[in-house]
Amino acid sequence: MVRNTMHLLDDRIEEMDVKYKKVLGNLAANLAATTLKVNARYFHRIGAGGKGTLRLYADIPEFPTHKLFYPGKSYQITLRHSNCLSSDDDARLDPRGAAIRILSDESDATTPVLDLTLKTGKAFHARSIGEFATWLVCGSAAREEHVKHFPHIREAMWDSLRQADSYTELHYYSNITRIFRFEDGQEMYVKFKLRPFDKKFPEDSGKVEPRGILPPETGAIPRDENDKRPLLFLEKDFQRRVNSPDRVRYILQLQMRSVPGDESARETALDCTKPWDDQEFPYIDIGEIVINQVLTKEESEALEFNPFLRCHEVDVIRAKSCSQSASMDHGRSIVYSICQHLRNKKPLPESWKIFLDQSDVKLDLSGCPMAGVLKEKTVKKVTLARPWYHVEEGGFIGSRTVAMPGVTVENEASLAALSLAMKGEIIR
């Protein structure tokens, strides 16, 4: 076969095996269809943003010399807090997010060098993209049966939900492992954490006690009937705190461990459904974040965060198979890229068009640089406070009808997007 040299390749896709491409292609196409429908973020749609600085501590004990996280360095940063699902009521029980963009310390301080996406809860509910896709298409009965055998999955899902009084009082975790490359050539596995500067807010701030086997599938548990706070109070609270004399302050932390030499041990270390033991791998305080400027609603909504915005010194761990633990981070970086291009009406690279065209979800990618769904529909109102999807009996792919208020997509074209709503971290 002769490769068309006019197509710029994406090496993230090229290194996948056939099954991985198929699984991820369907996920990406499902979310692409929904992104075009709603013309907005599907997850983490509303929130609050701010600007500030990350100042790394001058003395970080037992921390090898690192080009980016060098003791004493300071960076300009952008931070955005958000709700995973709820766009109509901040009092709903929901996973909460914190996305951080670190900007270059060179003369052009607007150039991003690293994006970190974090959420409440120490773990994610699926180890790999393959397990994630299986979870999406099975019903609630199958999920409940699954967590009976793997109770840590149930714990991860409930632990992600938070009853929030303020975004600034919660702890946020990366769940996903990255690889750190130090200047002495040493490589380490690393996870990030963001905690409030004030230690009076413990890790379990806002924690929700389980009320059943699994949370409701949309995660949109209604507020307590005695809760009289305004519907969207978290943004106002964040703005008030940023503009106060004390500003908003956090501590950036790391967990580190050596890269195992054995493949099985590496898979265990990269398993995002199981937190690392913080006694064996303690959190290291590496710097302080101060947010001193509020972003307008428009500025906050325009922010983009992409896990594949990384650098050699803080890199994404690659995967070749959808069953590998690393496929969760590696795969979601492609989903982020495609959906953000569509949401911002940027032309899709040819390699991404081909990738989407090979999926089971048919999108019209001809004659339009952004791509469009074959069957146009007008969406008058989209809300995330909605019942779960209804699925007709049929085959695994291409024979289901998914319904939600204002949107109906024939075949599989919103199934993953609607299912993903309960997960929160796959796309932002």
Side-chain angles (χ1 to χ4, degrees):
M1 297 180 66
V2 179
R3 190 186 301 273
N4 186 340
T5 58
M6 295 299 291
H7 295 168
L8 295 177
L9 302 178
D10 188 323
D11 60 351
R12 291 173 293 175
I13 298 175
E14 291 298 305
E15 62 194 10
M16 297 176 180
D17 64 24
V18 174
K19 182 179 179 181
Y20 190 0
K21 289 180 181 179
K22 187 68 173 179
V23 169
L24 192 68
N26 284 337
L27 285 178
N30 286 328
L31 285 170
T34 304
T35 298
L36 289 165
K37 287 282 184 182
V38 301
N39 194 31
R41 285 184 176 89
Y42 196 91
F43 313 109
H44 299 274
R45 185 175 299 174
I46 67 167
K51 292 182 178 180
T53 58
L54 164 62
R55 180 181 59 81
L56 297 169
Y57 294 132
D59 181 25
I60 307 176
E62 301 180 6
F63 191 74
T65 303
H66 191 269
K67 182 178 179 181
L68 184 63
F69 292 100
Y70 191 87
K73 268 194 172 184
S74 292
Y75 294 96
Q76 298 296 310
I77 68 159
T78 303
L79 177 142
R80 181 178 185 264
H81 284 301
S82 57
N83 303 330
C84 169
L85 269 181
S86 179
S87 63
D88 62 343
D89 187 354
D90 286 341
R92 293 182 185 277
L93 305 185
D94 207 6
R96 316 291 173 168
I100 302 170
R101 168 159 287 184
I102 300 176
L103 302 170
S104 172
D105 63 342
E106 306 298 334
S107 57
D108 181 11
T110 62
T111 303
V113 295
L114 180 67
D115 276 358
L116 301 174
T117 55
L118 307 96
K119 71 169 186 65
T120 49
K122 292 184 176 182
F124 195 56
H125 75 280
R127 181 186 60 83
S128 67
I129 284 288
E131 291 185 7
F132 186 73
T134 301
W135 181 275
L136 295 182
V137 296
C138 67
S140 58
R143 293 172 184 165
E144 291 182 359
E145 184 63 28
H146 177 70
V147 300
K148 289 178 183 178
H149 299 282
F150 302 97
H152 67 284
I153 301 297
R154 174 181 183 266
E155 182 178 348
M157 298 198 70
W158 277 108
D159 189 46
S160 294
L161 297 181
R162 284 296 184 273
Q163 172 71 62
D165 295 319
S166 173
Y167 286 130
T168 66
E169 298 175 358
L170 303 175
H171 293 238
Y172 301 89
Y173 305 82
S174 66
N175 294 170
I176 301 296
T177 301
R178 292 291 170 86
I179 190 164
F180 258 37
R181 297 187 176 98
F182 295 95
E183 292 192 352
D184 62 2
Q186 182 181 184
E187 294 186 347
M188 300 280 284
Y189 281 166
V190 173
K191 289 185 178 183
F192 291 90
K193 180 187 173 185
L194 191 69
R195 73 162 178 84
F197 181 82
D198 193 333
K199 292 185 177 181
K200 74 179 182 181
F201 301 111
E203 287 187 337
D204 60 358
S205 294
K207 188 173 182 178
V208 176
E209 293 301 323
R211 305 177 182 181
I213 297 178
L214 288 171
E217 290 182 308
T218 62
I221 304 171
R223 68 163 59 199
D224 187 281
E225 60 181 12
N226 296 320
D227 191 337
K228 305 302 181 184
R229 292 174 296 181
L231 290 176
L232 303 179
F233 61 87
L234 290 176
E235 180 181 14
K236 296 297 183 183
D237 172 83
F238 181 78
Q239 293 173 348
R240 178 182 60 80
R241 291 173 185 252
V242 171
N243 290 324
S244 72
D246 293 334
R247 305 299 188 178
V248 168
R249 298 175 182 270
Y250 302 97
I251 300 297
L252 184 64
Q253 298 180 301
L254 295 179
Q255 275 183 300
M256 298 194 304
R257 64 188 295 174
S258 299
V259 178
D262 177 70
E263 182 177 352
S264 175
R266 289 195 296 271
E267 279 293 300
T268 300
L270 297 176
D271 184 349
C272 59
T273 67
K274 297 178 179 179
W276 293 350
D277 185 339
D278 57 12
Q279 297 298 315
E280 184 178 2
F281 308 107
Y283 289 104
I284 302 171
D285 294 351
I286 66 166
E288 181 179 334
I289 288 176
V290 179
I291 305 299
N292 53 25
Q293 180 181 341
V294 171
L295 294 181
T296 65
K297 183 177 180 179
E298 292 73 23
E299 290 172 332
S300 180
E301 289 178 352
L303 293 176
E304 295 181 2
F305 298 94
N306 192 323
F308 207 64
L309 177 56
R310 84 284 184 259
C311 55
H312 174 75
E313 292 76 20
V314 186
D315 210 349
V316 173
I317 301 170
R318 304 298 187 99
K320 294 183 178 180
S321 165
C322 66
S323 63
Q324 291 178 303
S325 297
S327 65
M328 185 60 68
D329 195 27
H330 174 248
R332 71 169 181 156
S333 72
I334 299 171
V335 178
Y336 267 77
S337 300
I338 290 173
C339 290
Q340 286 181 348
H341 270 66
L342 294 175
R343 177 162 59 88
N344 295 313
K345 297 180 171 54
K346 296 178 181 178
L348 285 180
E350 194 67 25
S351 61
W352 294 356
K353 289 185 180 181
I354 294 172
F355 184 60
L356 292 174
D357 190 53
Q358 292 173 344
S359 75
D360 294 300
V361 180
K362 299 307 176 185
L363 304 173
D364 183 6
L365 302 180
S366 63
C368 175
M370 279 70 71
V373 183
L374 282 171
K375 192 173 182 180
E376 294 291 335
K377 292 184 183 290
T378 301
V379 180
K380 296 181 180 180
K381 181 179 180 181
V382 177
T383 175
L384 294 181
R386 56 179 174 265
W388 192 235
Y389 60 83
H390 302 286
V391 181
E392 293 179 357
E393 294 296 325
F396 181 82
I397 293 293
S399 60
R400 301 173 186 244
T401 299
V402 181
M404 71 179 183
V407 180
T408 300
V409 183
E410 300 301 324
N411 66 54
E412 200 77 354
S414 266
L415 179 57
L418 289 169
S419 302
L420 284 169
M422 61 186 285
K423 316 304 185 304
E425 191 57 16
I426 188 70
I427 183 70
R428 214 170 251 179

